[in-house]
Amino acid sequence: MTVLPYLIAGWIFLIGVYGLVTSRNLIHAVGCLAVAQSSTYVLLLGVGYRRGGTAPVFGDAPTDSRVVDPVVQALALTDIVVGATVTALLLALVVQLRKRHGTVDPDALSELKG
């Protein structure tokens, strides 16, 4: 087992969080959040990978063959769908903010301050 997928997932997450923290544009922030969330794809694929594993279709495979974990694959697909939905919702909210307030700069949104 190698630690490379975990290091890559951590690196992608840190890049996304750094972009999110330094963003001065809400559209850029949504994109950086999507990048940070995409690190979970790499993490899930790293967890479910088996060296020499085959697809988890047991029709003609011997019972002692190594297969990859199908649950992790299902979680990765679910993660992709949820990530796309959240990104679309956040972008729709940013479009509404632009229509109502005329800006996508978080500092310029003075009406939202408490």
Side-chain angles (χ1 to χ4, degrees), residues 18 24 34-35 41 44 58 64 74-75 82 91-92 95 99 108-109:
Y18 175 76
R24 296 285 47 135
V35 168
Y41 311 152
L44 285 171
F58 297 109
D64 61 342
L75 285 174
V82 169
L91 286 175
V95 167
K99 284 181 182 178
L109 295 171

Side-chain angles (χ1 to χ4, degrees), residues 3 5 11 13 15 21 24-25 27-28 30 33 35 42 47 49-50 53 55 66 74 78 84-87 91 101 104:
V3 297
W11 182 74
F13 180 75
I15 293 294
V21 169
R24 296 285 47 135
N25 187 335
I27 295 174
H28 183 261
V30 171
L33 184 65
V35 168
V42 177
V47 167
Y49 177 74
R50 294 242 173 133
R66 292 179 56 102
T78 304
T85 305
V86 168
T87 302
L91 286 175
H101 299 283
V104 290

